[in-house]
Amino acid sequence: MRLTGKVAVITGGGSGIGRASAVMFAREGAFLALVDRDAAGAEETRALMRDAGGDGSVHIGDVGDADFAKTTIENVAAARGRVDVLMTAAGFSCGGTVVTTDPADWDAVFRANVGGTWLWAKVAVPIMQVQKSGSIITVASQLAVAGGKGNSAYIAAKGAIISLTRTMAVDFATDGIRVNALAPGAIDTPLLRRSFARHADPEPVREASRLRHAMKRFGEADEVAAAALFLASDEASFTTGIVLPVDGGWLAA
């Protein structure tokens, strides 16, 4: 197994890419600390992890809360002796252009996406520095590279995550810490479904998104999780500072 004995923290572990990654990591031997604001969803993920032969703990709160991030990671490190992997999969999208987006919504998107990356890395990095090893996996978006319509706060936040990932990779490379970003395309998750549901007529928007991919389909959460597993594992020992598209050819088309 590729993650035997590893301890991983995954934010957004209650659904979507976070859930798929948690189950896959558990199957590969990791202990998972699941972070989400949805207690029922996180417990469902833990049940799936147990079915896969693994186990973990559940931590409920707001990923944009600095105290919650500090307490959670420090408690995991104290209980398990280390933190090997941090994956910041929690995300939030509100839709809208720079004109139509409410300032409170803009702040909420940046709190969940950028704050939910920075605050957790801020606590995890010193632990990984002592260990002289660690992998941080952030979750950006193909839209942060290609641009997109009617989702300005989300796309700007995902662009900030890419920049933050690259600078963390450079800052901590000599500490044995690898930092990489995933850039998923449109993945069939609750977040994607909610984004389509914001439109008065969702089906044409959904179909246009599907056809925008060179592969003419949406991705599955497990397909992104497989890429996350590679970045979490020792197989990626010489990989840091990259943005890895898992986008069905969106950026190539």
Side-chain angles (χ1 to χ4, degrees):
M1 293 190 290
R2 296 156 77 180
L3 299 179
T4 299
K6 303 280 191 183
V7 177
V9 177
I10 297 184
T11 70
S15 65
I17 291 169
R19 169 177 286 180
S21 299
V23 173
M24 195 171 290
F25 286 16
R27 188 178 295 121
E28 292 290 332
F31 177 91
L32 272 298
L34 301 173
V35 179
D36 208 289
R37 64 173 56 201
D38 177 7
E43 289 294 348
E44 287 174 7
T45 301
R46 180 156 64 171
L48 291 170
M49 286 164 39
R50 287 172 173 166
D51 290 344
D55 202 0
S57 55
V58 169
H59 309 266
I60 304 305
D62 174 8
V63 296
D65 184 308
D67 290 337
F68 175 55
K70 185 174 189 296
T71 299
T72 300
I73 289 188
E74 288 183 349
N75 286 348
V76 170
R80 306 301 300 187
R82 58 192 301 106
V83 174
D84 299 288
V85 180
L86 169 66
M87 181 176 179
T88 52
F92 173 65
S93 170
C94 67
T97 68
V98 294
V99 175
T100 62
T101 301
D102 185 85
D105 289 336
W106 182 278
D107 289 345
V109 170
F110 269 76
R111 178 185 177 91
N113 290 279
V114 183
T117 300
W118 162 53
L119 292 172
W120 293 77
K122 181 179 177 65
V123 187
V125 164
I127 295 168
M128 293 176 175
Q129 284 174 315
V130 172
Q131 299 169 179
K132 294 295 183 183
S133 66
S135 173
I136 297 174
I137 304 160
T138 67
V139 180
S141 169
Q142 94 285 13
L143 296 176
V145 181
K149 185 176 182 181
N151 208 358
S152 60
Y154 179 79
I155 295 171
K158 293 300 188 181
I161 287 172
I162 288 175
S163 295
L164 180 59
T165 298
R166 287 175 170 150
T167 195
M168 287 195 295
V170 173
D171 283 341
F172 306 117
T174 57
D175 294 316
I177 301 170
R178 298 179 292 103
V179 190
N180 296 288
L182 295 168
I187 309 300
D188 187 16
T189 63
L191 187 147
L192 182 69
R193 291 172 216 136
R194 287 193 297 269
S195 73
F196 291 144
R198 289 196 295 261
H199 297 270
D201 188 1
E203 190 53 35
V205 180
R206 183 183 187 282
E207 188 66 0
S209 177
R210 181 183 71 82
L211 294 174
R212 178 64 178 77
H213 300 79
M215 297 178 75
K216 307 304 179 190
R217 68 173 178 87
F218 295 118
E220 298 293 333
D222 280 349
E223 294 175 303
V224 184
L229 175 60
F230 164 70
L231 294 175
S233 75
D234 292 339
E235 294 172 7
S237 59
F238 199 55
T239 302
T240 196
I242 70 162
V243 179
L244 177 59
V246 188
D247 68 349
W250 182 295
L251 293 174

